[in-house]
């Protein structure tokens, strides 16, 4: 079981560009949550996807959008990148209805905006 | 708005001694609390949790205490081992299957041999 896998591991983008990050959930999981962890801070909830729909959203602007595919994998898109979007982006997968202690996190994608 | 706070960015402890990590929260709607451990280049790993109906939960060397009236929880690690050196995050949610977790900023624990 590969667990939660995220790609790419690192990337560098220029301010104003757009970026897409990818997450494959752990086998058997159908729900994906995305978090942003800025340097020196804890992860902040961006949104959660289940049944290909956004179910919950944190306090992030519309520049942050997502998608979930029929195979439960997910993408996080960020448009019009700002320097402040530089962070570690974490994906967590789970089974809908399961307790949150059963969520598994990926290793993250380190995004640097220059 | 930081609803979960870990006011100690770092903690250094000698191997075999107790590590005590503290966490405070402001949102009275939080009912479920979790601790995560994170090694460099890895995602956070769930460690232990506690429901607001309890004031203590133990799992091996790890014990979490909750003081709901003070909106404070703490994680005790006894005895501390070198492999415990990591960043520890406190997180809170409104109920046990709520994945909208609010995290603290983390405490870096270093266990000295």
């Amino acid at each position: 079981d590969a667990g939660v896998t995220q790609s790419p591991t690192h990337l560098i983008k220029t301010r104003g560009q757009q970026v897409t990050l990818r997450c494959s959930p752990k086998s058997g999981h159908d729900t994906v949550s995305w978090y942003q962890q800025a340097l020196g801070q804890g992860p902040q909830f961006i949104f959660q996807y289940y049944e290909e729909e956004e179910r919950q959203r944190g306090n992030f602007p519309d520049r942050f959008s997502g998608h979930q595919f029929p195979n439960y994998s997910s993408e996080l898109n960020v448009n019009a990148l700002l320097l402040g979007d530089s962070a570690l982006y974490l994906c967590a997968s789970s089974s809908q209805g399961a307790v949150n202690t059963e969520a598994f996190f990926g290793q993250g994608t380190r995004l640097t905006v220059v | 708005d930081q609803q979960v706070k870990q006011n100690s960015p770092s903690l250094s402890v000698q191997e075999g001694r107790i590590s005590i990590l503290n966490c405070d929260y402001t949102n009275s709607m939080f009912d479920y609390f979790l601790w995560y451990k994170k090694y460099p280049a890895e995602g956070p790993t769930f460690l232990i949790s506690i429901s607001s109906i309890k004031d203590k939960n133990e799992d091996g060397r790890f014990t979490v205490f909750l003081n709901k009236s003070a909106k404070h929880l703490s994680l005790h690690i006894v005895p501390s081992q070198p492999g415990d050196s990591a960043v520890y995050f406190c997180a809170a949610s409104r109920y046990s299957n709520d994945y909208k977790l609010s995290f603290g900023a983390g405490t870096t624990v270093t266990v000295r041999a």
Side-chain angles (χ1 to χ4, degrees):
Chain A
D1 183 358
V4 180
T5 57
Q6 292 186 242
S7 62
T9 307
H10 298 83
L11 77 165
I12 300 173
K13 289 287 189 178
T14 303
R15 190 172 49 182
Q17 285 188 317
Q18 180 263 347
V19 69
T20 297
L21 311 181
R22 295 175 176 83
C23 172
S24 293
K26 181 178 168 62
S27 177
H29 286 181
D30 56 10
T31 303
V32 173
S33 303
W34 287 92
Y35 289 82
Q36 179 196 66
Q37 185 183 1
L39 195 62
Q41 298 182 23
Q44 287 196 54
F45 178 82
I46 303 175
F47 41 53
Q48 180 190 67
Y49 275 83
Y50 171 63
E51 288 187 332
E52 302 180 44
E53 290 189 9
E54 183 181 294
R55 298 292 176 166
Q56 289 194 89
R57 189 178 183 92
N59 189 24
F60 279 79
D62 291 345
R63 298 187 298 107
F64 289 77
S65 63
H67 188 76
Q68 186 179 36
F69 299 93
N71 67 352
Y72 309 123
S73 66
S74 176
E75 288 182 349
L76 164 66
N77 301 292
V78 187
N79 293 322
L81 284 167
L82 304 174
L83 297 179
D85 295 331
S86 295
L88 180 68
Y89 289 85
L90 294 163
C91 163
S93 76
S94 55
S95 294
Q96 182 64 19
V99 293
N100 51 22
T101 59
E102 295 179 12
F104 286 82
F105 281 85
Q107 85 284 1
T109 294
R110 172 74 62 188
L111 172 65
T112 302
V113 182
V114 297
Chain B
D1 179 23
Q2 197 73 11
Q3 298 185 77
V4 177
K5 295 179 182 179
Q6 294 176 256
N7 292 319
S8 298
S10 63
L11 172 69
S12 180
V13 64
Q14 194 159 10
E15 183 178 2
R17 305 296 289 269
I18 184 172
S19 294
I20 299 177
L21 290 77
N22 293 304
C23 177
D24 298 291
Y25 62 97
T26 57
N27 189 339
S28 58
M29 299 296 289
F30 288 145
D31 238 12
Y32 204 68
F33 304 90
L34 306 88
W35 285 93
Y36 284 86
K37 179 178 182 180
K38 186 180 185 303
Y39 293 118
E42 294 184 15
T45 303
F46 168 71
L47 195 56
I48 191 170
S49 65
I50 189 166
S51 164
S52 62
I53 61 172
K54 293 185 174 182
D55 55 15
K56 178 181 174 181
N57 187 28
E58 280 184 86
D59 184 1
R61 297 185 296 111
F62 302 91
T63 303
V64 57
F65 296 91
L66 175 63
N67 182 333
K68 198 173 179 185
S69 62
K71 294 189 176 68
H72 176 83
L73 59 157
S74 61
L75 173 69
H76 292 208
I77 307 173
V78 185
S80 299
Q81 299 174 354
D84 297 331
S85 296
V87 179
Y88 290 78
F89 291 101
C90 170
S93 62
R94 291 177 302 163
Y95 35 88
S96 63
N97 61 350
D98 181 7
Y99 289 89
K100 188 178 179 180
L101 299 174
S102 295
F103 282 84
T107 297
T108 300
V109 172
T110 303
V111 180
R112 309 184 312 271

